[in-house]
Amino acid sequence: MSNDPIAWLHRELPGWVRDGILDRGQADRLSRRYPEPEGPRSHRLLSVLFAIIGSLLIGGGLLLLIAYNWPSWPRSLRAVLSIVPLAVVQAGGLWVLARRNDRAAWCESLGIAWLLSVGGSIALVAQTYHMPGSFDTFLITWMILSIPILYLMPGVSVFVLYLAGAVGWGFSQRVEHAGTAGAWLLMAAALPLAFRWHREAHSGAYAVISRWALIMASGIAAFGFIDFGHGGVWYNTTILLAASLLHLGWLYESGASSAWRRPALVMGSLFVVPMAFALSVDEVLRNVLRQGWPRDPETDLKVYAVLVSFLYTTSLVLTVRKGWQPGMIWGLLPVILAACWLLGWMEAGIGVLFLIVNAFVLAAGVVTLREGIRTSSLTRVNGGMMVIGAWILMRFFDGEYPILLRAVVFIVLGLLFLAVNLRMARTRKAART
Amino acid sequence: MKRWLWIVWAAVCLTQLAVPAWMIHRRNLTLREGEIYRFRTRPVDPYDAFRGRYVALDFEVAVFSNQAPGSVYQRGQRLYAVLAVDTQGFARIDGLQTTRPHGLPHLPVRVRSHGDPITRLELPFDRYYLEESIAPEAERLYQSRNMQPSSDTHAVVRVRDGFPVLADLVVDGSSVHDLIKK
């Protein structure tokens, strides 16, 4: 018998009917009871991708054909033709909703075509009537009208395009010196779909791609929309956001099999670790602590600061409640920075603050290395080694502190490492005997 | 298919179709019933980044110097320009108001820059779309004729209840479409 019993059954059924073991009706009922799978996973994925590319090409071609602005056609005909593609795609949408069971590929392709035809219709009418170039008005109209498409034809390509549009509108608002709160609301309109995919299969392709898209879109929006006033505020809020991503990753992505399926952990680490390193440089730490809150901050910045603080606190509390582990030490960087703020406010010297941050970076590197060895994770072992190696290299060439002081610190730390190693060896030996 | 899904689909389709349909209806109505104003054009910046498929337009009335004493406007502020016709039959702006003028022909405009005595305005029409193979030629023609002081180059705009629609671009007394055909 084959490894796949359903495929085996479907191969055998015609022979059973031929040999009189089953009649045709019984064979059909068995076929319906155990339907054949749609095809291997790679075939389904390929079918979805081809559907996306095909519909993008056809949709774009049709729009270009109409956008040619046929000079001989009367204005009214061009105007009507501008909305015909939209009506056709809408009818196609109804067909998919009503008839198709194999929706994934259809939702992807028709979703894109639908989204593009909404924007295309508005743009073509604008061209036919020589409307002025107000890009932000066009984009917001397009995106608001496209929100229902996300839920009627749920597909990742539509999801990504929609988020790109929402971020694009935010940028156009920024260029016009207008508020960008609306762009965040637009992005939030896609959140229920991402939650739905996450609930259905949190390591599935749709959930993972939507998480990547949301993280990237929010990051680009945060850095692009908000006037931070100066680098210090940017640094503090970005550390809060990145550390929150780490916590969320530990909460919801720990069981994922690859880095691709852990977007929050990957993006959080990509920001937190280099930022911790940067803070371990005297000059950077001094600047971040000196540049306080801007005197007259924009509303966007105030709302953003409150939101990331809330996100960080909530994610930290949830992580602690679930069971905080030493490997999560990098997520404490905002706490360390807050401690530095507090000590700085209490007029502690910059040397003390510098020591605290450096002790944190070194401790985090050691903990990462230890966790890597404990869990046999080569990525963590390498990561820990890289952190420790980079820290040693940076401090070795750090001209801010006297050579004698650095020499003493290096020797003391080296002795500490050797002592710990010796103690671990003795513990292992004792355990063996 | 579930009944509620039908209703949702229909509502979404109607809303999506209603937006371009309303845009078309409002402009067709203006083109049919709006009053005709002829706006004398002036040369535009030749490095306009979006040239290629349309003729970029600028207008003499966009430079407004007849403002009330003491008036101060912000960049980007929305104003209403009260329209009139000069002795040569071209549109001119009689005044700027912050509220919509009732019973007077007007246009919504935005302040591009404000100074004393000149306020530069952004009119709600700034381009004339053409098919891409003829647009560069039309642009060249428009620019070259526009530089000549005696040239009669203007845009024909229909205005209805303060809503304008650009109807035609006239270069040397002929529609730009006819001129290109020649």
Side-chain angles (χ1 to χ4, degrees):
Chain A
M1 201 171 96
S2 146
N3 283 337
D4 183 352
I6 293 176
W8 173 82
L9 178 71
H10 279 267
R11 273 199 307 277
E12 291 295 314
L13 277 176
W16 294 350
V17 173
R18 203 171 44 244
D19 298 342
I21 300 169
L22 298 176
D23 61 32
R24 173 69 58 194
Q26 287 170 322
D28 286 346
R29 279 197 292 281
L30 272 172
S31 279
R32 280 198 297 276
R33 181 76 177 80
Y34 302 103
E36 228 175 344
E38 287 167 29
R41 204 172 116 74
S42 58
H43 287 188
R44 285 203 299 276
L45 182 65
L46 202 65
S47 142
V48 170
L49 288 176
F50 273 37
I52 292 171
I53 297 166
S55 52
L56 267 175
L57 290 171
I58 294 172
L62 277 174
L63 289 178
L64 283 174
L65 207 63
I66 300 169
Y68 177 69
N69 204 352
W70 300 91
S72 53
W73 292 359
R75 199 190 327 251
S76 51
L77 178 62
R78 275 185 283 147
V80 170
L81 278 176
S82 302
I83 40 179
V84 165
L86 175 60
V88 171
V89 173
Q90 287 174 335
L94 180 65
W95 177 71
V96 171
L97 287 171
R99 303 251 176 253
R100 302 298 305 192
N101 293 321
D102 52 336
R103 276 196 194 157
W106 285 105
C107 280
E108 290 294 344
S109 55
L110 260 169
I112 290 182
W114 199 337
L115 189 93
L116 289 181
S117 56
V118 170
S121 286
I122 300 168
L124 291 172
V125 172
Q127 180 185 283
T128 305
Y129 291 93
H130 312 289
M131 284 163 67
S134 171
F135 184 66
D136 54 338
T137 312
F138 161 69
L139 213 50
I140 184 70
T141 314
W142 182 11
M143 288 305 119
I144 288 177
L145 288 176
S146 298
I147 293 171
I149 303 170
L150 283 171
Y151 296 91
L152 285 174
M153 298 281 128
V156 282
S157 42
V158 179
F159 186 86
V160 171
L161 275 180
Y162 171 79
L163 281 182
V167 172
W169 181 70
F171 274 107
S172 68
Q173 287 289 97
R174 190 80 211 148
V175 170
E176 297 288 324
H177 303 282
T180 53
W184 292 101
L185 287 176
L186 268 186
M187 285 195 275
L191 275 179
L193 184 59
F195 280 130
R196 194 175 100 191
W197 284 333
H198 185 80
R199 256 202 330 271
E200 283 169 4
H202 73 89
S203 282
Y206 278 43
V208 171
I209 296 173
S210 64
R211 280 208 299 277
W212 274 109
L214 274 173
I215 290 170
M216 300 297 265
S218 327
I220 293 169
F223 297 159
F225 296 175
I226 296 165
D227 180 9
F228 290 94
H230 49 65
V233 177
W234 179 86
Y235 221 97
N236 286 296
T237 49
T238 305
I239 283 178
L240 279 173
L241 181 65
S244 309
L245 282 178
L246 275 184
H247 286 142
L248 292 173
W250 284 316
L251 283 169
Y252 302 110
E253 296 174 351
S254 297
S257 55
S258 64
W260 161 247
R261 294 181 191 282
R262 293 192 284 247
L265 271 175
V266 170
M267 292 305 288
S269 311
L270 279 178
F271 276 90
V272 165
V273 178
M275 289 181 96
F277 261 103
L279 280 179
S280 75
V281 176
D282 187 288
E283 188 65 26
V284 178
L285 182 64
R286 217 183 276 269
N287 277 333
V288 168
L289 295 179
R290 195 176 50 210
Q291 295 172 337
W293 191 246
R295 213 166 264 174
D296 190 18
E298 287 184 353
T299 314
D300 286 6
L301 178 58
K302 287 189 239 173
V303 173
Y304 177 67
V306 170
L307 278 179
V308 286
S309 306
F310 175 74
L311 185 65
Y312 178 74
T313 316
T314 313
S315 63
L316 181 65
V317 168
L318 287 174
T319 312
V320 170
R321 280 179 63 179
K322 195 183 174 187
W324 195 85
Q325 288 166 16
M328 299 170 179
I329 188 169
W330 288 106
L332 294 180
L333 182 62
V335 178
I336 298 295
L337 193 57
C340 287
W341 272 98
L342 193 66
L343 288 170
W345 181 68
M346 291 161 71
E347 294 181 357
I350 189 75
V352 177
L353 310 181
F354 177 79
L355 264 180
I356 291 173
V357 174
N358 275 277
F360 171 76
V361 173
L362 188 61
V366 172
V367 167
T368 308
L369 178 65
R370 207 195 71 178
E371 285 296 299
I373 294 167
R374 194 178 63 82
T375 57
S376 304
S377 161
L378 201 61
T379 317
R380 282 190 179 188
V381 170
N382 288 337
M385 290 293 286
M386 273 172 66
V387 169
I388 296 167
W391 182 85
I392 291 172
L393 209 65
M394 278 173 76
R395 292 295 78 85
F396 188 82
F397 291 107
D398 195 341
E400 286 286 323
Y401 289 87
I403 292 180
L404 196 62
L405 178 68
R406 278 183 280 156
V408 171
V409 171
F410 266 64
I411 292 166
V412 170
L413 280 175
L415 286 172
L416 259 173
F417 266 95
L418 290 176
V420 170
N421 202 21
L422 196 68
R423 196 176 159 215
M424 283 199 307
R426 279 185 185 158
T427 315
R428 273 201 303 272
K429 198 174 169 187
R432 271 204 300 271
T433 54
Chain B
M1 192 170 141
K2 288 168 189 155
R3 190 185 167 87
W4 66 265
L5 202 56
W6 268 98
I7 297 168
V8 170
W9 173 84
V12 168
C13 292
L14 282 177
T15 314
Q16 287 177 343
L17 289 170
V19 172
W22 170 245
M23 286 163 72
I24 293 170
H25 169 73
R26 199 172 179 204
R27 278 155 188 84
N28 278 342
L29 198 67
T30 305
L31 284 171
R32 230 179 17 248
E33 297 177 4
E35 268 184 81
I36 293 178
Y37 287 90
R38 297 188 300 149
F39 286 79
R40 218 192 274 274
T41 58
R42 61 188 197 127
V44 293
D45 178 4
Y47 295 106
D48 186 320
F50 293 99
R51 285 186 314 161
R53 293 181 56 239
Y54 61 80
V55 179
L57 305 173
D58 200 359
F59 300 95
E60 284 183 4
V61 294
V63 181
F64 183 66
S65 55
N66 195 19
Q67 57 201 7
S71 53
V72 177
Y73 307 120
Q74 302 299 316
R75 184 177 171 272
Q77 187 179 348
R78 193 184 175 91
L79 297 172
Y80 295 92
V82 179
L83 290 177
V85 179
D86 66 14
T87 50
Q88 291 175 296
F90 289 103
R92 68 158 202 265
I93 293 177
D94 258 5
L96 295 173
Q97 295 190 9
T98 50
T99 52
R100 186 185 284 273
H102 291 287
L104 290 171
H106 62 277
L107 278 182
V109 293
R110 277 192 191 278
V111 177
R112 195 176 273 169
S113 65
H114 174 71
D116 194 12
I118 285 173
T119 299
R120 290 181 193 279
L121 303 169
E122 199 177 295
L123 268 52
F125 35 85
D126 61 2
R127 58 190 62 185
Y128 192 84
Y129 283 96
L130 287 160
E131 190 267 303
E132 64 183 339
S133 65
I134 60 170
E137 175 60 16
E139 173 94 27
R140 194 193 57 73
L141 204 68
Y142 164 73
Q143 293 286 19
S144 63
R145 304 291 164 91
N146 220 7
M147 300 297 258
Q148 297 164 11
S150 59
S151 150
D152 170 21
T153 304
H154 65 266
V156 179
V157 179
R158 292 257 189 183
V159 182
R160 182 179 173 274
D161 295 337
F163 185 77
V165 177
L166 188 54
D168 200 1
L169 178 63
V170 175
V171 177
D172 269 354
S174 305
S175 165
V176 74
H177 290 279
D178 299 336
L179 216 58
I180 292 290
K181 279 179 198 161
K182 286 178 196 169

